[in-house]
Amino acid sequence: MPISNEPGRSSTSRVFAILHACQHGTAPVTLTDLARRSQIPVATAHRLTRELIAEGALERNDDGTLQIGTALWELGSAAPRQRGLRRAAHPVMQSLAGRTHTVVHLAVAGHHQAVCVDKVTGPRAVVNVAEVAGGLPLHATGVGKVILAYSDDAGVRTVLQSASLRRYTARTIADPGRLAGELIKVRDARIGYSQGELTAGTASVAAPVFDAEGRFVAALGVLAPEAEQVDRLAPAVRRAADAISRRLPTST
């Protein structure tokens, strides 16, 4: 692919910047917002989005806003690693959702965010923002903190030193030092909590999933009302995560 006329940035990097800009959050975005988020000139963003729409990677809504297209999701779903992970996890997630009456979701590491790859909604579950193929902030969610706790040092530093520690609610941990301390606790306890840090009134607890060789692959989390004592859910979440780990083959 030819190199773009922007120094140090290829056409490929621009395409991925656009896709990541659309993936950020769950609401569709305007072309102007997309160009601003991806730091690409509006004219260039317009040309690239037309090409991505033609390939099905992006979709244009009736109001002109843009969102990730089904073709991109189909490509991602075809990845053998994610297929095996979801196949192993889904029955365990269904059982956990039925027993805890919560939203159960499974997330993997994405581009400076947690990406939800599967979700099961139990009876009387809370409304939540975790959508399959959607991104979640690493510092403000249970699954995100678990993913961050098991990331390499460079990945953690990138998050702690960036402007990505957005304050979503009054309880969001946006201080790098405080977050770093919490990540140590997450790794020691193999459990991560978020108490009204992404959305007021909702809490989450998550645990790590490992493959047969002991490598971290995903985070399993549940969402419940903030008023509920989510620490009582922690043992069940950890057992479920361990059950998924045992179901994963080495090649997953």
Side-chain angles (χ1 to χ4, degrees), residues 104-219:
V104 179
H105 59 298
L106 186 71
V108 299
H111 183 70
H112 303 320
Q113 64 181 347
V115 178
C116 179
V117 295
D118 200 2
K119 181 175 77 168
V120 177
T121 302
R124 302 192 301 277
V126 298
V127 176
N128 74 99
V129 297
E131 297 293 340
V132 174
L136 295 166
L138 293 171
H139 68 295
T141 59
V143 291
K145 289 178 185 178
V146 169
I147 290 172
L148 199 54
Y150 286 90
S151 298
D152 58 31
D153 292 341
V156 173
R157 283 197 302 272
T158 297
V159 173
L160 295 182
Q161 294 173 0
S162 72
S164 62
L165 299 184
R166 171 183 167 188
R167 189 175 293 279
Y168 293 92
T169 72
R171 303 187 69 177
T172 305
I173 299 176
D175 175 73
R178 184 182 167 197
L179 180 60
E182 179 152 334
L183 296 180
I184 294 173
K185 296 178 182 178
V186 171
R187 189 147 190 163
D188 287 344
R190 290 198 304 124
I191 206 80
Y193 295 96
S194 172
Q195 298 278 3
E197 297 168 41
L198 179 60
T199 55
T202 302
S204 65
V205 55
V209 175
F210 305 94
D211 68 11
E213 294 184 348
R215 296 172 299 196
F216 172 79
V217 293

